[in-house]
């Protein structure tokens, strides 16, 4: 069975600085997908970034990038130039291809301070 | 552009009552699923469906029933609510093909309290 672990329940960062959120996972699969979802106080789940395990290149989306280390089963999220609107709960998630079932970590609550 | 629609947004039940959480999507997605979110535990899969007439259990299925009679709708039924079912419930949908990038789209959630 797959598991996803986020070991940082809470983090804070100053506005305009960079922060990295950690995620590790356990699987025996070779092909899979990894996601970071953002959940602001509105409760809506918003996809931030997606990584395909067979791609070595790390995914980037504007200020968001990942450090994907397949051998170490690590998938961290880096947020550059943090903005107040980045304040949210962030979830790391794993999915097997075409399975549709997401396995989530416990979440990291990020506060961006002015 | 409705996406995934969940109703109601909030609900308070008494122990033993039954209710149905509604979920509808207008994106012709084959895959639909229900998750519950509890503090410190992330989201956990309750039930899922890969198409009309096909459902299966997820990680925490006890106390919940589902059916999928149409592609668009995937209701979640609580037959006899218990305080342990107090949670925030999310419905998600997606297409399970490579062009869709395996992305799941979430509804806005239902906050349920069982007294």
């Amino acid at each position: 069975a797959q598991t996803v672990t986020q070991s940082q329940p809470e983090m804070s960062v100053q506005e305009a600085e960079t922060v990295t959120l950690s995620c590790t996972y356990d699987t025996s699969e070779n092909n899979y997908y990894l996601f970071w979802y953002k959940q602001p106080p509105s409760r809506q789940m918003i996809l931030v970034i997606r990584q395909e395990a067979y791609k070595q290149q790390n995914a980037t989306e504007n200020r968001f990038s990942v450090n994907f280390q397949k051998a170490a089963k690590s998938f961290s999220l880096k947020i550059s130039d943090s903005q107040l609107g980045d304040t949210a709960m962030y979830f790391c998630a794993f999915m097997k291809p075409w399975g549709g079932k997401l396995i989530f970590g416990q979440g990291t609550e990020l506060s961006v301070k002015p | 552009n409705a996406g995934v629609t969940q109703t109601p947004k909030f609900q308070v039940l008494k122990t033993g009552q039954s209710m149905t959480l509604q979920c509808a999507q207008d994106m012709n997605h084959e895959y639909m699923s229900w998750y519950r979110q509890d503090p410190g535990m992330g989201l956990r899969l309750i039930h899922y469906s890969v198409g009309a007439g096909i459902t299966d259990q997820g990680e925490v299925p006890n106390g919940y029933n589902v059916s999928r009679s149409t592609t668009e709708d995937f209701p979640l039924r609580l037959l006899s609510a218990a305080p342990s079912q107090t949670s925030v419930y999310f419905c998600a949908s997606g297409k399970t093909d490579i062009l869709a990038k395996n992305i799941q789209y979430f509804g806005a959630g239902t906050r349920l309290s069982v007294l």
Side-chain angles (χ1 to χ4, degrees):
Chain A
Q2 291 79 23
T3 59
V4 178
T5 302
Q6 293 177 249
S7 58
Q8 305 154 313
E10 298 176 353
M11 294 190 71
S12 65
V13 63
Q14 292 296 127
E15 195 175 7
E17 294 191 346
T18 297
V19 64
T20 298
L21 280 57
S22 301
C23 173
T24 58
Y25 58 94
D26 187 26
T27 184
S28 58
E29 303 286 335
N30 187 51
N31 191 22
Y32 47 87
Y33 296 88
L34 296 165
F35 304 86
W36 279 98
Y37 278 89
K38 169 185 177 181
Q39 187 182 45
S42 67
R43 203 171 65 200
Q44 182 69 48
M45 294 289 288
I46 302 165
L47 179 64
V48 174
I49 200 163
R50 165 186 171 275
Q51 175 78 43
E52 297 160 343
Y54 62 86
K55 289 187 176 180
Q56 291 187 335
Q57 186 174 3
N58 289 326
T60 62
E61 288 287 343
N62 301 314
R63 298 183 294 109
F64 299 87
S65 61
V66 298
N67 184 4
F68 173 49
Q69 301 290 328
K70 190 173 183 179
K73 296 179 182 175
S74 171
F75 183 60
S76 61
L77 174 70
K78 186 171 81 171
I79 306 174
S80 304
D81 185 25
S82 297
Q83 300 176 0
L84 297 178
D86 295 333
T87 292
M89 182 74 82
Y90 287 82
F91 291 100
C92 177
F94 169 100
M95 186 169 74
K96 292 195 289 186
W98 302 293
K101 293 183 283 185
L102 286 162
I103 298 169
F104 286 88
Q106 302 90 331
T108 296
E109 188 167 8
L110 176 68
S111 295
V112 179
K113 300 185 184 305
Chain B
N1 196 10
V4 180
T5 302
Q6 285 185 241
T7 56
K9 287 186 168 43
F10 303 93
Q11 183 70 49
V12 179
L13 292 177
K14 294 182 179 178
T15 297
Q17 286 185 317
S18 63
M19 80 157 296
T20 300
L21 305 184
Q22 301 291 345
C23 177
Q25 53 91 8
D26 60 358
M27 298 174 281
N28 199 30
H29 287 168
E30 303 97 344
Y31 193 90
M32 296 186 75
S33 52
W34 277 101
Y35 296 84
R36 61 176 288 172
Q37 181 180 8
D38 301 294
M41 302 187 73
L43 281 74
R44 293 179 293 168
L45 183 65
I46 305 172
H47 285 287
Y48 66 97
S49 169
V50 298
I54 306 170
T55 63
D56 206 347
Q57 296 180 350
E59 181 185 357
V60 288
N62 292 340
Y64 308 95
N65 276 354
V66 292
S67 60
R68 183 112 178 255
S69 56
T70 67
T71 300
E72 295 78 18
D73 300 298
F74 191 45
L76 178 71
R77 298 182 185 85
L78 284 70
L79 299 178
S80 179
S84 61
Q85 293 178 305
T86 294
S87 188
V88 179
Y89 291 84
F90 287 95
C91 179
S93 75
K95 289 186 77 68
T96 55
D97 62 63
I98 195 166
L99 293 178
K101 301 183 179 181
N102 283 278
I103 294 173
Q104 300 290 304
Y105 298 86
F106 284 81
T110 295
R111 181 177 293 278
L112 175 67
S113 294
V114 183
L115 306 177

